[in-house]
Amino acid sequence: GQQLNQSPQSMFIQEGEDVSMNCTSSSIFNTWLWYKQDPGEGPVLLIALYKAGELTSNGRLTAQFGITRKDSFLNISASIPSDVGIYFCAGDNTDKLIFGTGTRLQVFP
Amino acid sequence: SQTIHQWPATLVQPVGSPLSLECTVEGTSNPNLYWYRQAAGRGLQLLFYSVGIGQISSEVPQNLSASRPQDRQFILSSKKLLLSDSGFYLCAWSHGYEQYFGPGTRLTVT
């Protein structure tokens, strides 16, 4: 089936640093979504992208819908300790979402 | 505003016992509903989804089943649990592409 590859698999950064992660697919998607999951909780929607080339921000988070429609990027600026968690990308497939493998982010003070 | 509830929050069940997990959504009508399973440190695996009452689509053949007896209620069941059924079960709802997740149920099969 369809798969989304996220990279890096994990990141260890210092508080205040900027973070970049990406998601690639072998298939075209019409929608890209980015979620964050804290330990023991359900994922929370961060940003939704609906148009190729679209760049959308949510506070310190910025995400882009790749021109080829096969990739998406998430950037976090000036990281803080509460940014710790697992970040998932997801692409639409009719009534379903295909989720990426996740990027685990650790932020050290 | 919409809210989604799942219960129980945690569950420990012996192998071979039955299972019933419940998910309810408030503040919206006729949502699409989804059940996912997440193994420790892994991604989300879609198990079932429903676009309406009594309409269930299965993604992964296994010993689990799902039912949607009411518009905003989604139930995940099993007649006999396996060790491999352990995991974090998440329910989600949507009206379009954006899915919103519940708090999850941690199931441990012993």
Side-chain angles (χ1 to χ4, degrees):
Chain A
Q2 288 178 295
Q3 286 191 344
L4 296 183
N5 297 310
Q6 278 187 252
S7 65
Q9 189 173 9
S10 60
M11 302 181 73
F12 300 85
I13 63 170
Q14 198 155 22
E15 184 177 357
E17 289 184 355
D18 296 343
V19 172
S20 291
M21 60 189 79
N22 67 71
C23 193
T24 59
S25 169
S26 57
S27 304
I28 290 173
F29 288 116
N30 293 319
T31 302
W32 284 92
L33 305 172
W34 284 93
Y35 288 83
K36 178 184 179 233
Q37 185 177 27
D38 291 331
E41 299 183 13
V44 174
L45 180 64
L46 299 174
I47 292 179
L49 301 160
Y50 294 101
K51 190 176 176 181
E54 179 182 356
L55 187 72
T56 298
S57 293
N58 178 6
R60 294 178 296 106
L61 277 61
T62 302
Q64 184 161 24
F65 192 144
I67 289 292
T68 65
R69 293 162 61 194
K70 291 185 177 181
D71 57 10
S72 181
F73 305 87
L74 177 70
N75 296 316
I76 304 173
S77 62
S79 58
I80 59 178
S82 61
D83 291 334
V84 166
I86 303 177
Y87 291 79
F88 290 102
C89 63
D92 77 284
N93 183 355
T94 321
D95 289 323
K96 302 174 291 185
L97 291 179
I98 307 297
F99 279 86
T101 49
T103 293
R104 184 180 297 271
L105 178 64
Q106 289 278 11
V107 179
F108 296 102
Chain B
S1 64
Q2 301 86 7
T3 55
I4 179 169
H5 305 278
Q6 287 186 245
W7 63 87
T10 60
L11 192 59
V12 180
Q13 292 283 95
V15 168
S17 64
L19 173 73
S20 181
L21 303 182
E22 189 165 343
C23 171
T24 58
V25 181
E26 295 177 356
T28 187
S29 59
N30 197 30
N32 290 345
L33 296 172
Y34 307 83
W35 277 113
Y36 292 86
R37 178 169 59 202
Q38 186 177 32
R42 305 290 295 274
L44 288 83
Q45 178 188 32
L46 180 63
L47 302 175
F48 301 94
Y49 70 98
S50 171
V51 298
I53 296 175
Q55 300 178 59
I56 308 294
S57 296
S58 174
E59 289 294 298
V60 182
Q62 55 202 327
N63 69 320
L64 298 173
S65 63
S67 62
R68 185 171 177 173
Q70 300 180 44
D71 180 44
R72 292 171 290 175
Q73 184 184 30
F74 206 22
I75 296 173
L76 183 69
S77 304
S78 174
K79 292 182 179 178
K80 287 186 178 181
L81 283 168
L82 307 172
L83 283 174
S84 58
D85 291 324
S86 293
F88 192 46
Y89 287 82
L90 289 157
C91 181
W93 74 271
S94 77
H95 269 151
Y97 299 118
E98 300 174 17
Q99 291 186 18
Y100 299 92
F101 287 84
T105 294
R106 174 79 57 194
L107 172 66
T108 303
V109 182
T110 60

